[in-house]
Amino acid sequence: QVQLVESGGGMVQPGGSLNVSCAASGFTFSSSDMNWVRLLPGKGPEFISTIYSGKMGTYYADSVKGRFTISRDNAKNTLYLQMRDLRFEDTGLYYCVRGVSYWGQGTQVTVSS
């Protein structure tokens, strides 16, 4: 009964910022590695960021490194992604994922002038 509910998506201008969140339930969030994955038009899924349980080390794909920041609040069972300096090519559907098996419904991010 894992539930992952993303929110905060929307439209933003190029160079702008947007923060998305994922509310998690139905599992022990604090012990789970969490990911952000995105689907861009015409492309396959891209794991753009990971935050691990325990020491909460992070991973960023080259495409977002230096622009996006992943974080988590275990007390709130919430995963966050702070996005800045957004580009047209960032437009797509953003998902939070527990490991590789459990996906939320996604939230749309559109970068448009």
Side-chain angles (χ1 to χ4, degrees), residues 1-7 20-36 51 71-80 95-99 102-105:
Q1 210 156 329
V2 172
Q3 281 193 283
L4 301 166
V5 182
E6 298 94 336
S7 62
V20 295
S21 302
C22 174
S25 62
F27 64 99
T28 305
F29 178 79
S30 61
S31 299
S32 300
D33 297 339
M34 299 296 298
N35 307 273
W36 286 102
I51 185 164
S71 61
R72 65 194 296 165
D73 187 336
N74 288 337
K76 296 180 179 179
N77 284 1
T78 304
L79 179 72
Y80 304 96
Y95 299 87
C96 63
V97 180
R98 180 198 178 194
Y102 294 94
W103 296 53
Q105 85 289 344

Side-chain angles (χ1 to χ4, degrees), residues 13-113:
Q13 295 187 74
S17 299
L18 195 67
N19 298 330
V20 295
S21 302
C22 174
S25 62
F27 64 99
T28 305
F29 178 79
S30 61
S31 299
S32 300
D33 297 339
M34 299 296 298
N35 307 273
W36 286 102
V37 182
R38 69 184 183 184
L39 284 174
L40 306 184
K43 300 180 180 179
E46 179 186 14
F47 278 73
I48 59 171
S49 190
T50 303
I51 185 164
Y52 301 98
S53 62
K55 294 182 180 179
M56 292 192 286
T58 57
Y59 158 82
Y60 297 96
D62 288 343
S63 57
V64 306
K65 190 175 296 182
R67 299 188 297 121
F68 292 11
T69 302
I70 190 170
S71 61
R72 65 194 296 165
D73 187 336
N74 288 337
K76 296 180 179 179
N77 284 1
T78 304
L79 179 72
Y80 304 96
L81 185 68
Q82 299 171 295
M83 301 178 285
R84 65 177 181 84
D85 191 26
L86 285 160
R87 306 161 181 170
F88 292 118
E89 53 264 42
D90 292 318
T91 295
L93 198 58
Y94 286 70
Y95 299 87
C96 63
V97 180
R98 180 198 178 194
V100 297
S101 300
Y102 294 94
W103 296 53
Q105 85 289 344
T107 188
Q108 177 68 34
V109 172
T110 302
V111 184
S112 176
S113 60

